[in-house]
Amino acid sequence: MAETIFKKIIDREIPADIVYEDDLCIAFHDVQPQAPVHVLLIPKREIENVAALTESDRDLAGHLLVKVHEVAKLLNLESGYRIVANCGRDGGQSVDHLHIHILGGRSLTWPPG
Ligand code: AMP
């Protein structure tokens, strides 16, 4: 897969407002926030999207989901939040590096657009 802007963030080639990082993943504020709090949690390994995950990614996928709540707590989202992983063109994915949007800080409506 082609290198994306997120890989440049991981490699510190471009700046980002990083809120969490460990060996496997990194979380940073979205540049175009769709809610008062909008953070992206991404694996450091380049994986295109949820559809590209395989059985061998089970541990990494689990790690990401567990870290969602840890990051949400760092962001003081005690009253709730939403996670979104856009997948593919019809899913609205614009950056081809797996990412989980963590959105909160206001009451979110449903269904999304
Ligand atoms: P998606 O449309 O689901 O692929 O989400 C990609 C997200 O990445 C969008 O919400 C963008 O605003 C965000 N984004 C793109 N470039 C950057 C960047 N350099 N730093 C932080 N967020 C970015």
Side-chain angles (χ1 to χ4, degrees), residues 25-101:
C25 64
I26 186 166
F28 51 90
H29 286 276
D30 195 296
V31 278
Q32 284 191 289
Q34 302 301 315
V37 178
H38 186 175
V39 162
L40 302 171
L41 175 64
I42 72 172
K44 288 186 171 173
R45 187 146 60 78
E46 289 177 282
I47 300 172
E48 189 170 356
N49 54 30
V50 167
L53 288 169
T54 67
E55 279 296 324
S56 64
D57 300 315
R58 185 184 287 263
D59 286 352
L60 177 60
H63 182 80
L64 285 172
L65 265 188
V66 168
K67 290 300 164 184
V68 161
H69 192 58
E70 209 171 299
V71 171
K73 278 194 281 188
L74 289 174
L75 298 166
N76 300 312
L77 298 176
E78 299 87 3
S79 57
Y81 54 89
R82 179 174 297 162
I83 62 172
V84 173
N86 295 326
C87 182
R89 291 299 153 248
D90 281 356
Q93 183 175 7
S94 62
V95 179
D96 291 335
H97 182 128
L98 176 62
H99 49 283
I100 300 174
H101 297 258

